[in-house]
Amino acid sequence: MITSGTTTVRLTAKGAATRLRIVEGAAAEIRERGAATTTLDDIRARTATSKSQIFHYFPGGKDELLLAVAALEAERILEDQQPHLDDLGRLDTWQAWRDWRDAVVRRYERQGVNCPLGVLMTELGRRTPASQQLTGQLLAQWQSALRDGVRCMQGSGRMDPALDADRTAAALIAAVQGGVTVLMATGSIAHLEAALDTTLELLGRFDAE
Amino acid sequence: MITSGTTTVRLTAKGAATRLRIVEGAAAEIRERGAATTTLDDIRARTATSKSQIFHYFPGGKDELLLAVAALEAERILEDQQPHLDDLGRLDTWQAWRDWRDAVVRRYERQGVNCPLGVLMTELGRRTPASQQLTGQLLAQWQSALRDGVRCMQGSGRMDPALDADRTAAALIAAVQGGVTVLMATGSIAHLEAALDTTLELLGRFDAE
């Protein structure tokens, strides 16, 4: 069962596969052409689907499809940080944190000034309830994985147990978001690297003492 | 002499005052109505100026005026952090850094999810050379003031001299930008506070040792 915006559609395995094909095709089309100029007809042509199929899976039309694409792009943001962020508490050594830092920097270096999720959010309206819910979920999931990592490092005596793990994770999220905001405004990745490196260096001093 | 975009206009004191009145009126109108829906006629009506006056000061029309409004909003961002950021190296005690932190949080609390500069940049196109130049200047000026503060604290033995002052300043800029990005997406100021508090707490540990 997939809940997306206001509609809930119960899908067969084949139906779910078709829906995913439409969403992935739409995501590729939007990455190439932009969200504003991509039409449902473009997406139909790319995914070889009929209008009735599109409206079967996305009764709300383009906005509902864009929201599903945004959810896919949000998942990809976390996937690009795998296996560093997962349920198994993989951020359990300094090397794991450095690998995570490198995965984040690589992702945004590759992406440059084009943020597919940002483009979709702008098109959908950043302050619509659906957009805010999606952003909130992404941030909460991301922060929770980082918090688990901080707790793990605190447990093994590598990070200071006196630190609030959740606020430390929030600060790391802000470091990434701020670095990406500057990257998108200026084209330079230096702030992202400086923010992650400085925060990790300062966190690491507890261990070095 | 004021250089704005492609035009350079040499102004008398009276001319500069009229130009400033137009820019401030336009800024107020745009804060109330948004950049996209504000017309030159709205700005003329609010500032009691004629069409020929507007085009005398802004030969490039609305885009040139919007850029001047964006420059004003950029100045205000730094002004709201005064007297903490100035040429006299005022970030020279932990109390000064806490006061600066409070000034930043207050500014964005007051502003909420509406960033006047962000709105203007979106309207002007974030990647136009003029927008990028303006953003680059604002960030460089801001970072330079924070770097001076870090150096001052390093000089008095309160922050670790081993830290790269410029990258530490870049990390603080990213903390602010990231916190504001999350604030605009979710309406919560918690990430901004967590980012500034965590970074300052970690920086302060050197002094406490």
Side-chain angles (χ1 to χ4, degrees):
Chain A
M1 193 165 76
I2 291 168
T3 306
S4 158
T6 52
T7 53
T8 301
V9 185
R10 203 172 289 271
L11 298 175
T12 60
K14 194 176 160 217
T18 306
R19 185 183 182 281
L20 183 62
R21 185 162 54 83
I22 296 171
V23 175
E24 287 181 338
E29 190 75 16
I30 286 166
R31 281 188 174 226
E32 284 167 24
R33 306 166 48 107
T37 53
T38 297
T39 66
L40 285 182
D41 282 342
D42 298 327
I43 295 165
R44 281 205 310 106
R46 182 169 195 130
T47 58
T49 45
S50 67
K51 200 169 223 167
S52 70
Q53 275 180 303
I54 300 248
F55 280 96
H56 173 69
Y57 294 107
F58 306 98
K62 186 177 173 187
D63 270 9
E64 190 177 344
L65 177 52
L66 287 185
L67 196 60
V69 175
L72 178 74
E73 294 291 0
E75 273 171 38
R76 284 180 177 166
I77 289 176
L78 295 178
E79 270 166 21
D80 283 352
Q81 296 171 55
Q82 298 299 353
H84 315 293
L85 302 184
D86 67 15
D87 298 334
L88 304 171
R90 291 293 289 271
L91 289 170
D92 54 357
T93 60
W94 287 115
Q95 187 59 49
W97 281 90
R98 279 191 294 271
D99 290 346
W100 167 73
R101 174 261 185 227
D102 290 345
V104 170
V105 169
R106 263 199 315 274
R107 181 210 158 83
Y108 289 105
E109 244 168 5
R110 205 170 60 231
Q111 180 172 293
V113 296
N114 300 298
C115 173
L117 185 59
V119 165
L120 285 156
M121 290 300 193
T122 301
E123 184 65 19
L124 285 164
R126 285 175 191 278
R127 288 174 221 158
T128 59
S131 290
Q132 288 199 330
Q133 196 194 351
L134 187 68
T135 311
Q137 275 172 359
L138 168 65
L139 290 177
Q141 206 180 337
W142 197 346
Q143 187 165 328
S144 154
L146 292 172
R147 185 185 57 226
D148 291 348
V150 170
R151 287 210 178 118
C152 188
M153 296 294 277
Q154 288 176 317
S156 60
R158 291 189 177 88
M159 285 189 196
D160 185 353
L163 286 172
D164 181 314
D166 197 47
R167 294 194 96 208
T168 305
L172 285 162
I173 292 279
V176 175
Q177 294 299 318
V180 172
T181 300
V182 176
L183 167 65
M184 292 200 294
T186 67
S188 159
I189 204 149
H191 282 75
L192 178 61
E193 293 184 317
L196 288 173
D197 291 344
T198 303
T199 310
L200 291 179
E201 184 188 337
L202 290 171
L203 284 170
R205 293 195 170 186
F206 178 81
D207 197 16
E209 277 160 24
Chain B
M1 192 165 77
I2 293 167
T3 306
S4 160
T6 52
T7 54
T8 301
V9 184
R10 202 171 289 273
L11 298 175
T12 62
K14 194 176 161 219
T18 305
R19 184 184 184 281
L20 183 61
R21 185 161 56 81
I22 297 171
V23 175
E24 287 182 338
E29 191 75 16
I30 287 166
R31 280 187 174 227
E32 284 168 24
R33 304 165 51 106
T37 54
T38 297
T39 65
L40 285 182
D41 282 343
D42 298 326
I43 294 165
R44 282 205 310 106
R46 182 168 196 134
T47 58
T49 44
S50 66
K51 200 168 222 168
S52 69
Q53 274 180 304
I54 300 248
F55 280 96
H56 172 69
Y57 294 107
F58 306 98
K62 187 178 171 187
D63 270 9
E64 189 176 344
L65 177 52
L66 287 186
L67 195 61
V69 174
L72 178 74
E73 295 291 359
E75 273 170 38
R76 283 179 177 165
I77 289 176
L78 295 178
E79 270 166 22
D80 283 352
Q81 296 171 55
Q82 299 298 352
H84 315 293
L85 301 184
D86 65 16
D87 298 334
L88 304 170
R90 291 293 289 274
L91 289 170
D92 55 357
T93 62
W94 287 114
Q95 188 57 50
W97 281 90
R98 281 191 293 271
D99 291 346
W100 166 73
R101 175 262 185 226
D102 290 345
V104 169
V105 170
R106 265 200 312 277
R107 180 210 159 83
Y108 289 105
E109 244 169 6
R110 206 169 59 232
Q111 181 174 292
V113 296
N114 300 297
C115 174
L117 185 59
V119 165
L120 285 156
M121 289 302 192
T122 301
E123 184 65 19
L124 284 164
R126 285 175 190 277
R127 288 175 221 158
T128 59
S131 289
Q132 288 200 328
Q133 194 194 353
L134 188 67
T135 311
Q137 275 172 0
L138 168 64
L139 290 177
Q141 205 180 336
W142 197 345
Q143 188 165 327
S144 153
L146 292 171
R147 185 184 56 225
D148 291 349
V150 171
R151 288 211 177 119
C152 187
M153 297 293 277
Q154 289 176 316
S156 61
R158 291 188 177 87
M159 285 187 196
D160 185 353
L163 287 171
D164 181 314
D166 196 47
R167 293 194 96 207
T168 305
L172 286 161
I173 292 280
V176 175
Q177 295 298 319
V180 171
T181 301
V182 176
L183 167 65
M184 294 201 293
T186 67
S188 159
I189 203 150
H191 282 74
L192 178 61
E193 294 185 316
L196 287 174
D197 291 346
T198 303
T199 310
L200 292 179
E201 185 188 337
L202 291 171
L203 285 170
R205 293 194 170 186
F206 178 81
D207 198 15
E209 276 161 24

